[in-house]
Amino acid sequence: FPYTTLFRSAKNHSQNELFAVCIEEMSELTKHLTKIMRGKESMRNNAGCIEEMADVQICLNTLQLYLDLSESDFNYAIDVKLERYNSRK
């Protein structure tokens, strides 16, 4: 990811602006996923869904920078969640 662009984005916007954009992007991905669930869109080659996934990933990376979370802390949290998920199966 172009971290200089993300860093500028994270530092040039207020917390509320950044959070609002993230919420909006996650909402747009949710809409695409529910359309797929209802059979209104195909899962295959769904450019709109892929674009929204990219937007959400950019938002997550920007939030990570904004909140000054290290890559290792973030990866640790992911590992803990995955372990918890796998232990339930």
Side-chain angles (χ1 to χ4, degrees):
F1 293 100
Y3 284 105
T4 55
T5 302
L6 290 176
F7 184 77
R8 262 195 313 255
S9 176
K11 300 304 177 189
N12 288 337
H13 295 5
S14 73
Q15 177 177 302
N16 284 349
E17 289 172 323
L18 185 59
F19 288 1
V21 168
C22 291
I23 291 166
E24 179 183 323
E25 295 300 344
M26 289 184 286
S27 173
E28 290 174 13
L29 176 58
T30 300
K31 288 177 190 176
H32 275 279
L33 295 174
T34 55
K35 285 180 182 179
I36 291 168
M37 288 172 59
R38 293 185 319 221
K40 304 283 185 182
E41 289 184 9
S42 170
M43 271 182 61
R44 301 192 86 168
N45 302 320
N46 190 323
C49 190
I50 294 167
E51 183 179 324
E52 297 308 334
M53 289 172 64
D55 286 339
V56 168
Q57 187 63 58
I58 290 167
C59 285
L60 292 174
N61 291 344
T62 304
L63 276 175
Q64 184 179 348
L65 284 171
Y66 183 82
L67 299 171
D68 198 27
L69 299 173
S70 73
E71 194 72 24
S72 61
D73 287 343
F74 198 67
N75 287 334
Y76 177 77
I78 291 170
D79 289 343
V80 168
K81 286 288 192 174
L82 289 174
E83 282 181 35
R84 196 175 304 150
Y85 174 76
N86 288 329
S87 70
R88 290 187 218 150
K89 292 211 160 217

